[in-house]
Amino acid sequence: MHVDINLLGGFAVVIDGRAVAAHAWSRRSAATLVKLLALRPGRQLPREQVVDLLWPDLLLEQAAPRLHKAAHYARTAVGVPSAVVLAGDVVTLLPDAEVVVDVERFDRASGDPASVDEAIGLYRGDLLPEDLYEPWADAERERLRVSYLELLRSAGRWSDLVAAEPLDEEAHLRLVQEHVEAGNRAQALRQLESMARLWRNELGALPGPAARALHARAQAMPAVEPSILAPGAGSTRVPRPATPTIGRRRDVTAALSLLDDHRLVTLLGIGGVGKTRLAAEVAHEWAEETGLRTCYVDLTKVEDAGLVAELTVSELGVRSGDNANVVQMLEEALRGQSMLLVLDNFEHVVEAADLVPRMLQWSADLRILVTSRARLRVAGERVYEVHPLGRRGENDAEGLADAVALFEQVATAVDPHVRLDQHADDVAAICRAVDGLPLAIEIAGGHLRTLSPPLLRERLTSRLGSAAATSRDLPDRQQTIPAMIDWSLQLLGPAEQRLFSRFSVFTVCVPLEAVEAVWADGDVVDPLSVLVDHSLIRRTTGRHNEPRFGMLSLVREHAAREAAGDAEVARAAHASYFSSWLDDLYERRWTDATYRWLDDIGEMLQEVRAAHSWAARADDVPLTASITASLGAYWFLEGNHAEGLRWIDEMLAVEDRLDPYVSARIHLAAGFMAYPSSRPEARAHWELATELFRGLGETRLVAYGLAVTSATYIGDVGHVELSMQMNDEALALGRTTGSPALVAQVLNVRGELTRVAGLDDLAREAYEEGLQISGTLGDEMYVAVFLSNLSYVAEHRGEHEEARRLTHRALRICWAQGRRLMAAWTVSQLAGPEHALGRSELGAVLVGAGDEALRVLGARRHPGDVPEHARVVMLLRASLGDDRFEELRDEGARLTLDQVLARILDGEGDEGGDDGGDEGGDEGERVRVPVQRAVQERVGKP
């Protein structure tokens, strides 16, 4: 008997090629006993030592019954009577079997210099991650981890080392060195920026002299041309396949050849044929050959063709704007870009096909690679048909060999000891039966843990024989994947089938808590694990390295058909969960950095929309209103104003059915939607909300309502005293609630009120305290706001170099975070200090660029900035003359927001040199640590 025991990356036992099912280890003590013994030399320990390690609080005689029960359950799980033997004073694991423990294999390979790569491959993760709090595993886990890190270091695998040990300074610097030597300035600076952020967050310090020296070298390299700069925080990277791609070499070469001669190429094929994987391979090779960047857009994230432009804008790194102007935003983001845009799964939104040729018109250097089950049928489209691996035209034998190779890859991943050479005919028959479709092969191969190849072939043929025998040129062969899913579902238990159908309510990859919310039948982990194992649900990693779960679109469609009567129950639970999730985020906004909760909502926006849609259809007014009420500030800061106005108007129409607390929050959100165009209307909503909150005893929301209401009086000279009284009360209440983010926002409004009223000392005091709070929270978004406002105060004092420097800092943060609306507000703010420093022509260009950016975004200048802007425009006209001013303003309007930001932040066209001579550091240092440096310099705190 041969037994493989895996402990690295997770516990698993495989006996003669058969994996012990996860549910067999439902008794934790049984699994723990096997793990403990597997880690010991000879797989045995004295009985007393076992007891001391597993039950340290019990005497030997008290623990004896527990040990016997654990041994019994372990034997039952393994299915071997001699799996755990208690003889005399010794406990032994599998004494009569040939046992291979992956930890032992790792140790042997890591001790052999010729087997370093093998050892690295064996380390699938830290030892027993499910037992992080077991003292008996701690020392061994740390030893193995240290050994693994040293292997990565000796092999020069610096990216892997950074991923495994983020604070390894040598690994970071080696990566930067590689980028510098390769001439890649942007990647070198990004790596240094990431390193500085990590050092700041984790160590409270900056990287050392070696990092600064490399930064100076990278900074001295040629700057990236503005035409290929990534908008905002950068575009979404093309996913890299986790396993080698089989049988697509000719397809990759052909697609690359087409991209050389055509600007729009569509990879066409049925679902599950591997179009996404092929597109990823093509995009990565294209990027390596051209040195240009790529952006990936997964269109399964939206169901409505009208949202394609919005999603594309988001994936390009753009985070602001109004739905009504999202196409203009897309045009502005793509204009002048040299890149490859990958639009994946277009068949979901084929009605948006006319948008694609328009994208190509906006940039002559843009190429688009589409994957779809249907042609776009637009001008300039060149189609490349992607066949299943079993259909390779004149050489069908080669295609079948590729299909078999893929099956073997999947099978060995599921069971490393599977022997397929004895079942070659069965494997070939399975691959033919599923028409060589990669997704179907992967699903089928995943069942080899439970079915032998002959039995797998038998079951497969009974379900799919007729479909596979149908003419392959007919659309009916598209039924292969649904049939495969039907068959796969029949191998699952009732619980897994129910979870499969309920999971169809999710559109994007969601956290475990969301899955639990739609599951009311006990612990969801077991059925979820089975579905992941059967490739019906895929596990990914979220932004914070937390597990996320999602379905392929075709699988989701099938699951929705299976849901039937269960669907409404699942949708109700889904809507309730995301309403509660939004409530939690609403609480976080008072104590957390603004960009974090904004990004969280943006990531789950499709789920939020689905929840709102169901609640509205079900006429569940309280639930619909709760979802709507949580999004006011999100809509205001991130755009989507048209959607916000529609949802809010629907709730105001049924206000008599709302709870007073929710009604107050609806009016709060309504004020945000009205504020850009009508401050009196916003004031009316906010005054009503504040009155309701006061009656409910909601102190924190009273403070917030007072603060935003006072903001409607900015620049109103007749109500300075009234607005300051409101703000004073808001500030006092905010300080009593322990809500630092709220206090910072109140202080920002206070600064605006006093600055516009000419009370600069009070404004500066408010801004600097707000900057200190925002810096402590790590809220870079509000740090940028305070820096830009402080620049006005500096300019009023005649400190024009200081004003210029502060504005530059604010713009760097806006650009790095993709906050285009804030950048558009701030860019023309530079015109004042540039004019005062003798660069009036540049100031006029900046005014034009800022005005145009706001027009494209469908936004208005912030009320507190209007008088400042008017003053500067008047000075520029007086200095340059009307004709020259208009000429230069038109020149600025022809620049994209990214081009003008590149021009001023990289020093191009800037007669003043580098950013005003920041003492003690260069521009790169300021880019990497804007929050910490800004707070230290303005407030004087370490």
Side-chain angles (χ1 to χ4, degrees):
M1 179 175 61
H2 180 89
V3 181
D4 286 282
I5 301 177
N6 298 324
L7 305 174
L8 294 169
F11 175 59
V13 178
V14 179
I15 303 172
D16 289 335
R18 176 188 62 84
V20 176
H23 62 77
W25 302 108
S26 58
R27 300 284 184 170
R28 181 177 175 82
S29 60
T32 303
L33 180 60
V34 172
K35 297 171 187 177
L36 177 65
L37 294 172
L39 276 173
R40 293 312 189 267
R43 300 183 307 283
Q44 63 179 19
L45 272 175
R47 185 187 302 240
E48 187 172 350
Q49 192 171 348
V50 172
V51 169
D52 285 343
L53 291 171
L54 299 186
W55 302 285
D57 298 330
L58 299 180
L59 298 174
L60 181 60
E61 53 273 15
Q62 294 173 319
R66 299 193 182 194
L67 177 58
H68 282 281
K69 284 184 180 180
H72 167 71
Y73 290 127
R75 297 183 196 112
T76 302
V78 176
V80 177
S82 60
V84 177
V85 176
L86 280 69
D89 293 330
V90 177
V91 185
T92 307
L93 174 67
L94 293 161
D96 303 323
E98 176 191 350
V99 180
V100 175
V101 182
D102 61 350
V103 170
E104 296 174 355
R105 292 179 62 202
F106 173 79
D107 282 335
R108 285 195 298 271
S110 61
D112 181 2
S115 303
V116 170
D117 288 339
E118 178 188 353
I120 291 173
L122 286 169
Y123 196 92
R124 292 181 297 274
D126 288 345
L127 178 74
L128 299 172
E130 67 272 21
D131 294 312
L132 289 180
Y133 303 106
E134 295 289 357
W136 53 265
D138 288 346
E140 187 70 355
R141 181 182 296 113
E142 183 61 22
R143 179 189 71 80
L144 292 166
R145 177 174 171 78
V146 169
S147 178
Y148 172 63
L149 296 178
E150 288 307 311
L151 288 171
L152 293 177
R153 193 182 310 280
S154 66
R157 293 171 60 162
W158 306 114
S159 293
D160 292 336
L161 186 52
V162 166
E165 185 53 71
L167 292 176
D168 191 298
E169 183 174 19
E170 181 190 8
H172 279 281
L173 296 180
R174 290 292 191 108
L175 278 176
V176 175
Q177 183 72 34
E178 289 177 358
H179 293 320
V180 169
E181 291 174 355
N184 196 329
R185 176 181 184 266
Q187 287 197 25
L189 291 174
R190 277 197 296 270
Q191 185 67 39
L192 286 164
E193 180 180 352
S194 173
M195 182 181 178
R197 187 184 306 111
L198 188 64
W199 257 241
R200 182 176 70 247
N201 293 340
E202 298 295 332
L203 305 177
L206 291 175
R212 290 195 292 272
L214 276 174
H215 186 275
R217 287 184 60 188
Q219 196 69 30
M221 296 168 66
V224 179
E225 291 296 324
S227 63
I228 62 171
L229 283 172
S235 52
T236 302
R237 294 181 179 178
V238 177
R240 190 175 292 277
T243 56
T245 298
I246 291 174
R248 295 301 187 191
R249 184 65 255 165
R250 275 190 293 174
D251 296 319
V252 171
T253 302
L256 286 169
S257 178
L258 286 175
L259 282 171
D260 285 340
D261 302 321
H262 305 276
R263 297 179 60 208
L264 170 59
V265 175
T266 297
L267 302 180
L268 189 69
I270 62 174
V273 77
K275 301 183 295 294
T276 297
R277 175 183 283 265
L278 176 59
E281 296 287 0
V282 171
H284 284 299
E285 289 204 20
W286 186 88
E288 291 172 5
E289 291 177 6
T290 64
L292 300 177
R293 67 188 182 90
T294 59
C295 175
Y296 174 75
V297 182
D298 180 5
L299 294 172
T300 62
K301 293 181 178 180
V302 295
E303 297 293 339
D304 183 354
L307 297 174
V308 169
E310 177 183 332
L311 176 63
T312 306
V313 163
S314 174
E315 301 294 22
L316 283 164
V318 179
R319 304 188 184 185
S320 299
D322 194 306
N323 277 353
N325 296 287
V326 72
V327 175
Q328 285 181 298
M329 293 169 56
L330 181 58
E331 176 182 356
E332 200 276 343
L334 289 176
R335 195 185 305 160
Q337 294 292 318
S338 298
M339 63 180 295
L340 175 66
L341 180 62
V342 180
L343 302 177
D344 195 19
N345 295 293
F346 213 105
E347 66 273 3
H348 294 273
V349 287
V350 73
E351 296 83 5
D354 62 342
L355 180 64
V356 177
R358 294 173 65 189
M359 294 183 194
L360 295 171
Q361 293 174 5
W362 297 330
S363 173
D365 293 321
L366 175 68
R367 276 171 166 70
I368 298 179
L369 182 64
V370 174
T371 75
S372 181
R373 280 182 276 161
R375 288 168 51 198
L376 272 58
R377 300 183 184 276
V378 296
E381 180 187 27
R382 182 62 185 265
V383 171
Y384 181 78
E385 190 164 359
V386 185
H387 293 286
L389 294 178
R391 288 274 297 173
R392 298 304 297 264
E394 73 281 1
N395 192 351
D396 186 67
E398 180 182 341
L400 180 59
D402 290 334
V404 170
L406 177 59
F407 189 95
E408 290 178 341
Q409 182 188 76
V410 174
T412 53
V414 172
D415 180 358
H417 302 285
V418 68
R419 296 289 302 274
L420 295 180
D421 53 341
Q422 301 172 4
H423 305 287
D425 291 343
D426 294 315
V427 172
I430 291 169
C431 291
R432 288 194 188 96
V434 299
D435 206 21
L437 215 55
L439 178 59
I441 291 172
E442 291 175 6
I443 295 174
H447 292 292
L448 284 181
R449 286 186 181 180
T450 52
L451 296 179
S452 65
L455 184 56
L456 179 62
R457 176 184 180 180
E458 177 185 339
R459 296 292 297 272
L460 190 67
T461 302
S462 66
R463 294 293 297 156
L464 302 177
S466 60
T470 305
S471 174
R472 292 174 178 172
D473 294 326
L474 296 176
D476 286 346
R477 83 176 196 177
Q478 295 178 6
Q479 297 303 308
T480 300
I481 283 289
M484 187 66 225
I485 296 171
D486 270 335
W487 165 85
S488 185
L489 285 173
Q490 290 187 8
L491 296 179
L492 303 177
E496 289 77 23
Q497 293 185 19
R498 287 198 303 275
L499 180 58
F500 174 80
S501 64
R502 293 181 188 181
F503 203 97
S504 64
V505 299
F506 299 114
T507 301
V508 299
C509 291
V510 297
L512 178 62
E513 293 79 10
V515 184
E516 289 175 326
V518 302
W519 182 251
D521 298 345
D523 186 3
V524 77
V525 174
D526 283 350
L528 179 61
S529 298
V530 173
L531 290 171
V532 171
D533 196 40
H534 281 240
S535 301
L536 293 171
I537 291 178
R538 51 181 177 172
R539 181 190 184 279
T540 60
T541 302
R543 288 186 300 109
H544 307 297
N545 294 320
E546 76 282 13
R548 295 290 177 91
F549 302 93
M551 274 183 171
L552 296 171
S553 58
L554 287 173
V555 179
R556 185 188 310 118
E557 292 170 8
H558 192 88
R561 291 193 293 270
E562 293 286 320
D566 224 14
E568 284 302 292
V569 174
R571 292 191 187 104
H574 171 278
S576 178
Y577 168 79
F578 279 101
S579 175
S580 298
W581 178 79
L582 284 171
D583 285 341
D584 290 342
L585 287 186
Y586 198 78
E587 289 299 308
R588 268 179 47 191
R589 62 179 296 191
W590 311 115
T591 55
D592 200 359
T594 306
Y595 74 90
R596 294 191 186 114
W597 59 265
L598 286 176
D599 289 349
D600 283 345
I601 293 177
E603 190 176 29
M604 289 290 129
L605 188 57
Q606 299 306 320
E607 301 296 341
V608 170
R609 285 170 171 161
H612 177 273
S613 178
W614 180 86
R617 287 198 310 272
D619 195 32
D620 189 334
V621 172
L623 188 59
T624 311
S626 178
I627 294 170
T628 303
S630 297
L631 296 172
Y634 174 81
W635 286 318
F636 178 70
L637 294 170
E638 293 289 80
N640 306 314
H641 293 173
E643 178 179 68
L645 286 167
R646 185 175 69 253
W647 289 16
I648 289 169
D649 286 346
E650 290 170 354
M651 291 299 96
L652 291 175
V654 293
E655 187 176 1
D656 58 325
R657 298 170 61 184
L658 300 182
D659 174 90
Y661 173 71
V662 176
S663 178
R665 288 176 59 195
I666 290 290
H667 280 287
L668 198 60
F672 280 116
M673 295 298 95
Y675 186 71
S677 57
S678 174
R679 282 195 276 171
E681 182 181 348
R683 182 183 305 144
H685 282 296
W686 284 338
E687 285 177 342
L688 177 55
T690 304
E691 180 183 348
L692 290 169
F693 287 137
R694 203 184 291 276
L696 293 167
E698 293 286 343
T699 304
R700 185 165 55 193
L701 290 171
V702 170
Y704 192 50
L706 287 168
V708 292
T709 303
S710 71
T712 64
Y713 291 106
I714 293 173
D716 187 341
V717 295
H719 292 87
V720 173
E721 184 177 352
L722 172 64
S723 62
M724 286 302 295
Q725 286 175 353
M726 285 186 188
N727 195 269
D728 286 343
E729 184 182 357
L731 189 59
L733 291 174
R735 293 189 194 280
T736 66
T737 62
S739 307
L742 171 60
V743 173
Q745 292 175 56
V746 177
L747 287 166
N748 184 55
V749 174
R750 186 181 190 82
E752 297 290 274
L753 287 167
T754 50
R755 172 173 59 79
V756 176
L759 306 172
D760 278 2
D761 288 342
L762 292 177
R764 182 180 182 183
E765 180 182 338
Y767 290 146
E768 289 190 341
E769 184 183 354
L771 178 62
Q772 170 67 48
I773 294 171
S774 298
T776 301
L777 288 173
D779 193 344
E780 296 192 353
M781 179 175 165
Y782 262 90
V783 164
V785 170
F786 285 116
L787 289 173
S788 64
N789 287 333
L790 279 165
S791 73
Y792 281 135
V793 178
E795 190 179 355
H796 294 172
R797 296 198 306 271
E799 298 174 1
H800 303 298
E801 287 285 2
E802 173 73 353
R804 179 177 182 274
R805 187 177 66 84
L806 290 169
T807 311
H808 271 224
R809 287 186 179 280
L811 282 171
R812 285 193 195 94
I813 297 172
C814 296
W815 201 19
Q817 287 202 340
R819 308 292 175 190
R820 301 183 75 78
L821 180 57
M822 290 182 60
W825 281 337
T826 309
V827 70
S828 58
Q829 191 172 319
L830 267 178
E834 294 293 2
H835 164 71
L837 292 169
R839 295 186 283 273
S840 299
E841 292 196 344
L842 176 58
V845 170
L846 294 172
V847 167
D851 288 347
E852 176 64 12
L854 289 172
R855 185 196 68 78
V856 168
L857 293 170
R860 302 187 181 204
R861 199 171 300 281
H862 194 277
D865 298 340
V866 170
E868 303 278 6
H869 183 72
R871 174 181 59 82
V872 171
V873 168
M874 182 182 67
L875 292 172
L876 288 170
R877 286 186 181 278
S879 174
L880 297 169
D882 288 344
D883 291 343
R884 181 58 176 159
F885 172 78
E886 293 296 341
E887 179 184 349
L888 290 166
R889 182 160 71 173
D890 289 344
E891 177 185 330
R894 290 192 292 271
L895 297 172
T896 68
L897 183 58
D898 293 300
Q899 287 172 334
V900 74
L901 288 171
R903 178 174 179 177
I904 59 180
L905 295 182
D906 280 356
E908 294 188 18
D910 183 348
E911 295 86 342
D914 178 59
D915 201 33
D918 180 50
E919 61 276 12
D922 61 16
E923 183 180 354
E925 282 292 317
R926 295 192 298 274
V927 172
R928 290 189 288 120
V929 285
V931 177
Q932 181 174 330
R933 290 280 300 278
V935 173
Q936 289 177 0
E937 293 181 9
R938 294 303 309 164
V939 187
K941 299 290 180 66

